[in-house]
Amino acid sequence: MPSSDLGLFLRQLLRDPTAISAMAPSSKGLARAITSALSPATGPVAEFGPGTGVFTRAILDRGVAPADLTLFELNPAFCTSLRQQFPGVRVINAGAQSVGDHCQGLGAIISGLPLLSFPADLCAAIFASAVQALRADGAIHQFTYGPKPPLPEHIRADLGLTVTPGPRIWLNLPPARVYTYRRG
Ligand SMILES: C[S@@+](CC[C@H](N)C(=O)[O-])C[C@H]1O[C@@H](n2cnc3c(N)ncnc32)[C@H](O)[C@@H]1O
């Protein structure tokens, strides 16, 4: 990871610890795991909470075209850096809960949001909007450091989603797991 990315991340962490809720950007191993289902055939993709762009780079490395990728990032300093790093990618300085207003027919959503630090009503708003923006066969890939799926169970059931765990990524600090949510 470039040291400028780490410096930017740490400065934004000090400004808004709750929104960022991680001690460092995710590892390349976690970035490979959370993007493993993507290919040029996935079609339009959205990313939630890209931060310094570790997952964004991995999404593009999977062959997703820049024009097919939309990023939702609340932090304006991260948005400026993302626009410089990823020309041709749409960067929206707004909450992930607005994805349904901006995107339709998404094949996948990659989420780096710290769901465990969010109130349940915000999690519900984000996932309801995500379901609205997804194709019927689309999937939401969400990582967590916690021991179980990060979306509260009653919200998953209300939205009619199934959830599948991926392998634990031990080399991420802290170790993490990716969960995939799909329409039941
Ligand atoms: C834990 S950091 C993850 C950054 C990066 N994806 C990674 O894994 O290294 C969480 C990111 O989500 C952003 N964020 C927090 N709440 C958000 C929301 N409601 N919508 C979009 N981005 C949000 C923060 O600004 C931060 O960049």
Side-chain angles (χ1 to χ4, degrees), residues 140 151 156-157 159-165 179-184:
I140 304 167
L151 184 66
R156 183 200 63 72
L159 292 173
L161 297 171
T162 61
V163 61
T164 313
Y179 287 90
T180 297
Y181 293 90
R182 294 179 189 279
R183 289 187 180 155

Side-chain angles (χ1 to χ4, degrees), residues 16-108:
D16 193 351
T18 310
I20 297 194
S21 281
M23 295 313 292
S26 296
S27 64
K28 285 189 179 169
L30 179 55
R32 276 194 296 275
I34 201 167
T35 59
S36 62
L38 302 186
S39 76
T42 306
V45 174
E47 183 186 353
F48 295 167
T52 56
V54 178
F55 294 168
T56 316
R57 210 162 282 127
I59 294 168
L60 296 172
D61 286 348
R62 294 283 179 190
V64 173
D68 272 341
L69 180 56
T70 305
L71 313 181
F72 291 83
E73 173 54 62
L74 271 184
N75 180 299
F78 284 149
C79 287
T80 301
S81 166
L82 292 161
R83 289 190 184 105
Q84 286 165 355
Q85 290 182 77
F86 304 110
V89 171
R90 183 161 68 139
V91 181
I92 299 184
N93 184 195
Q97 52 275 39
S98 68
V99 63
D101 300 332
H102 297 278
C103 299
Q104 284 301 311
L106 294 176

